[in-house]
Amino acid sequence: MNRMLAVAALCLPIGAAEYTVDVLKEEAPKELAEAVRKEMAPSGSRVLEKEGGKPHADLWFRASIPLEEGAESLMVKYPALKPGRLVGAIRFHAKGGDYKNQPIPPGVYTMRYGVQPEDGDHQGVS
């Protein structure tokens, strides 16, 4: 689970306030399709701004992630995960942005595993 929280931390704004993480004893939100909700663990994690304790995001991960045989590659960190595989859900409490300063409106989103293509257009990205 800690590895997944590290991945989810990529969703946090760079250069913003420091954060803490608490256990969230709450099921995945009703905004998710029932088929997605039933795959989620019964509780999640809440990311709080360290200063003031204001909630930033809530995260739920799948109770179990199906794995497959994967081709070994230096570029693929988790070859047993199929690209596009549902790994969890996240709820942002307030407007935020990604590393390119593109806005992310408050709301609930699914999180899926993705791999950058090895086509030369994505050099230097991890």
Side-chain angles (χ1 to χ4, degrees), residues 3 20 25-26 41-42 52-53 57 60 62 83 87 93-95 108 115:
R3 238 185 245 170
T20 61
K25 295 185 187 234
E26 184 180 305
W60 295 267
R62 283 183 78 158
V87 294
H93 290 274
K95 182 181 175 187
V108 177
V115 177

Side-chain angles (χ1 to χ4, degrees), residues 14-124:
I14 297 170
E18 292 183 30
Y19 297 91
T20 61
V21 178
D22 282 342
V23 173
L24 178 63
K25 295 185 187 234
E26 184 180 305
E27 291 184 347
K30 303 269 190 229
E31 291 94 335
L32 294 169
E34 186 58 32
V36 172
R37 287 187 74 218
K38 74 177 188 169
E39 297 293 330
M40 297 299 133
S43 63
S45 300
R46 176 162 281 169
V47 178
L48 302 159
E49 291 180 9
K50 199 169 187 176
E51 215 172 286
K54 182 179 172 186
H56 177 74
D58 298 333
L59 301 141
W60 295 267
F61 296 100
R62 283 183 78 158
S64 175
I65 299 175
L67 302 177
E68 300 175 3
E69 280 294 318
E72 290 293 321
S73 169
L74 293 175
M75 300 299 290
V76 178
K77 185 83 170 171
Y78 302 105
L81 278 174
K82 182 179 177 184
R85 176 79 67 197
L86 176 71
V87 294
I90 187 166
R91 173 175 50 209
F92 288 106
H93 290 274
K95 182 181 175 187
D98 66 9
Y99 71 98
K100 291 183 175 181
N101 290 325
Q102 297 172 343
I104 301 174
V108 177
Y109 302 89
T110 58
M111 297 187 301
R112 298 181 179 273
Y113 178 68
V115 177
Q116 293 287 352
E118 294 182 46
D119 61 5
D121 290 338
H122 298 89
Q123 292 179 350

